[in-house]
Amino acid sequence: MPLVRISIMKGKLEGFGKRIGAVVYRTMVDTINVPEKDNFQIITEHEPNTLIYDQSYLDIPRTDGIVVIQITLNEGRTLELKKIFFKTLADKLNSELHVRTEDVFVSLVEVKKENWSFGNGVAQYAQ
Amino acid sequence: MPLVRISIMKGKLEGFGKRIGAVVYRTMVDTINVPEKDNFQIITEHEPNTLIYDQSYLDIPRTDGIVVIQITLNEGRTLELKKIFFKTLADKLNSELHVRTEDVFVSLVEVKKENWSFGNGVAQYAQ
Amino acid sequence: MPLVRISIMKGKLEGFGKRIGAVVYRTMVDTINVPEKDNFQIITEHEPNTLIYDQSYLDIPRTDGIVVIQITLNEGRTLELKKIFFKTLADKLNSELHVRTEDVFVSLVEVKKENWSFGNGVAQYAQ
């Protein structure tokens, strides 16, 4: 159900965006009850002119290693779960892929369960 | 009003994404009361490394023919209408463009009517 | 906090999308209480086949100069503020960058304050 959009700068190793996505997916499964295999992601790579970020907003020093992650997912996760997700994700991207934790930007967009079709023209989550 | 984002793999015929978009537009008009001409879409084509999908989530077999469609639209459509939309869309993409119904992934993001400007700096839908 | 996605046609001067983004950012700060430095944007450039728009919906004549701007931001701005934002943005894009006001398309997606992490794995806006 989550649809994940990841944006990074060009010039990383081939497949780096996909590896980031794999960590995002695994962290969602481990911390916010996303089902196993529920993994759908769109990754874009950018020139500096097309991925804009502030280098110090909220006194967090950011670099061109920035990773912008926007996730559309079902509403209803508690604030506590979201906090655990943000923390775990930044820590794992750092420990597994050497992304600076300062460079992990996350935006969640919550929608209703009935707003998805995973194929075959059916709203699989609607009851 | 709907803003449609469509993501497919590279390597299709030139304009294939646009043809998918035309079916999405026509189906929205026919099934969920989208006004004629209200047609705004952004299409991206991807290498396998940048369009990630699970090949069997919910026991639906997906292929590289996957079409990921995310639609931002006004809130308020009933579940019944959404179901008709999902079903009609998958069927038409299949019958008109030979997209496998299993490969039609749809995500809806609902917003308020006042959240759009279609030009001239006016919130045309706000009353 | 706002995450801004801007889509334009290819073929403009290098950095034109970024200049549009700078006007969007400045207008958000000036009209809808976005904090200084809260500037995060993703810009994509398109062939005509991948940026679809209607040339006359709502009797507004649009051209390939179209600028599609989708902004994810915190909920709670009043309709009045949104109207001022739309108007100011179209006017400034016109006066500063010669974008036709008819070609300024804006979509807002509102989310909860707690749905953001600006780095370090923290939900900075959550209280």
Side-chain angles (χ1 to χ4, degrees):
Chain A
M1 140 222 34
L3 179 60
V4 177
R5 293 183 188 274
I6 297 171
S7 301
I8 60 175
M9 292 289 179
K10 276 183 184 163
K12 311 288 177 185
L13 281 179
E14 174 70 19
F16 186 66
K18 184 176 182 174
R19 294 181 66 196
I20 290 173
V23 173
V24 174
Y25 161 68
R26 176 48 48 194
T27 306
M28 294 193 299
V29 171
D30 289 347
T31 65
I32 53 171
N33 306 315
V34 165
E36 288 279 346
K37 295 185 157 193
D38 189 347
N39 187 22
F40 300 90
Q41 312 197 338
I42 295 160
I43 298 162
T44 52
E45 300 187 353
H46 295 266
E47 306 287 350
N49 260 349
T50 66
L51 177 50
I52 310 300
Y53 64 92
D54 188 88
Q55 296 183 354
S56 67
Y57 180 57
L58 298 177
D59 291 323
I60 298 169
R62 295 177 194 84
T63 71
D64 278 0
I66 192 157
V67 177
V68 176
I69 303 163
Q70 188 165 44
I71 305 174
T72 306
L73 78 173
N74 285 336
E75 60 194 5
R77 269 88 184 175
T78 63
L79 172 55
E80 221 43 57
L81 274 191
K82 290 175 188 172
K83 285 182 173 175
I84 292 169
F85 171 66
F86 291 146
K87 181 78 171 74
T88 309
L89 179 58
D91 286 349
K92 290 183 83 167
L93 286 173
N94 181 254
S95 63
E96 297 185 18
L97 298 176
H98 307 296
V99 175
R100 296 169 66 254
T101 59
E102 294 91 338
D103 284 331
V104 181
F105 181 104
V106 189
S107 158
L108 305 179
V109 176
E110 294 177 283
V111 300
K112 291 181 188 166
K113 277 189 158 193
E114 67 191 43
N115 282 11
W116 302 89
S117 176
F118 294 89
N120 291 330
V122 175
Q124 281 88 359
Y125 287 170
Q127 304 303 347
Chain B
M1 139 224 32
L3 180 59
V4 177
R5 293 183 187 275
I6 296 171
S7 301
I8 60 175
M9 290 290 178
K10 275 183 185 163
K12 312 287 177 184
L13 282 179
E14 174 70 18
F16 187 66
K18 185 176 181 174
R19 294 181 66 196
I20 290 173
V23 173
V24 174
Y25 161 68
R26 175 48 47 194
T27 306
M28 293 193 301
V29 171
D30 289 346
T31 65
I32 53 172
N33 307 315
V34 164
E36 289 278 347
K37 296 184 156 194
D38 189 347
N39 187 21
F40 300 89
Q41 311 197 338
I42 295 160
I43 298 161
T44 52
E45 301 187 353
H46 295 267
E47 306 287 350
N49 260 350
T50 66
L51 177 50
I52 311 299
Y53 63 92
D54 188 87
Q55 296 183 352
S56 67
Y57 179 57
L58 298 178
D59 291 323
I60 297 169
R62 294 177 195 84
T63 70
D64 278 1
I66 192 157
V67 176
V68 176
I69 302 163
Q70 187 164 47
I71 304 174
T72 307
L73 79 173
N74 284 336
E75 60 194 5
R77 268 88 183 175
T78 62
L79 172 55
E80 220 43 55
L81 274 191
K82 291 175 187 171
K83 284 182 175 176
I84 292 169
F85 171 66
F86 290 146
K87 180 79 172 73
T88 309
L89 179 58
D91 286 349
K92 290 183 82 167
L93 286 174
N94 181 255
S95 62
E96 297 185 17
L97 298 176
H98 307 296
V99 175
R100 297 168 66 253
T101 59
E102 293 92 337
D103 283 333
V104 180
F105 181 104
V106 188
S107 158
L108 305 180
V109 176
E110 294 178 283
V111 300
K112 291 180 189 167
K113 277 189 157 193
E114 68 192 42
N115 282 12
W116 302 89
S117 177
F118 294 88
N120 291 329
V122 175
Q124 281 88 358
Y125 287 169
Q127 305 304 348
Chain C
M1 142 223 29
L3 180 59
V4 177
R5 293 182 188 274
I6 296 172
S7 300
I8 60 175
M9 291 290 180
K10 275 184 185 163
K12 312 287 176 185
L13 281 179
E14 174 70 19
F16 186 66
K18 184 176 181 174
R19 294 181 66 196
I20 290 173
V23 174
V24 173
Y25 161 69
R26 176 47 47 195
T27 305
M28 293 192 301
V29 171
D30 290 346
T31 65
I32 53 171
N33 307 314
V34 164
E36 289 279 345
K37 295 185 158 194
D38 188 347
N39 188 21
F40 300 89
Q41 312 197 339
I42 295 160
I43 298 162
T44 52
E45 300 187 354
H46 295 267
E47 306 286 350
N49 260 350
T50 66
L51 178 50
I52 311 299
Y53 63 92
D54 188 87
Q55 295 183 354
S56 67
Y57 180 56
L58 298 178
D59 291 322
I60 297 169
R62 294 176 194 85
T63 70
D64 278 1
I66 192 158
V67 177
V68 175
I69 302 164
Q70 187 165 46
I71 304 174
T72 306
L73 78 174
N74 284 336
E75 61 195 5
R77 268 87 184 176
T78 62
L79 171 56
E80 221 42 56
L81 274 191
K82 290 175 187 171
K83 284 181 175 177
I84 291 169
F85 172 67
F86 291 146
K87 180 78 172 75
T88 308
L89 179 58
D91 287 348
K92 290 183 83 167
L93 286 173
N94 181 254
S95 63
E96 297 184 19
L97 297 176
H98 307 296
V99 175
R100 297 169 66 253
T101 59
E102 294 92 337
D103 284 332
V104 180
F105 181 104
V106 189
S107 158
L108 305 180
V109 176
E110 294 177 284
V111 301
K112 291 181 189 166
K113 278 190 156 192
E114 68 192 44
N115 282 12
W116 300 90
S117 176
F118 294 89
N120 290 329
V122 175
Q124 281 88 357
Y125 287 169
Q127 306 303 350

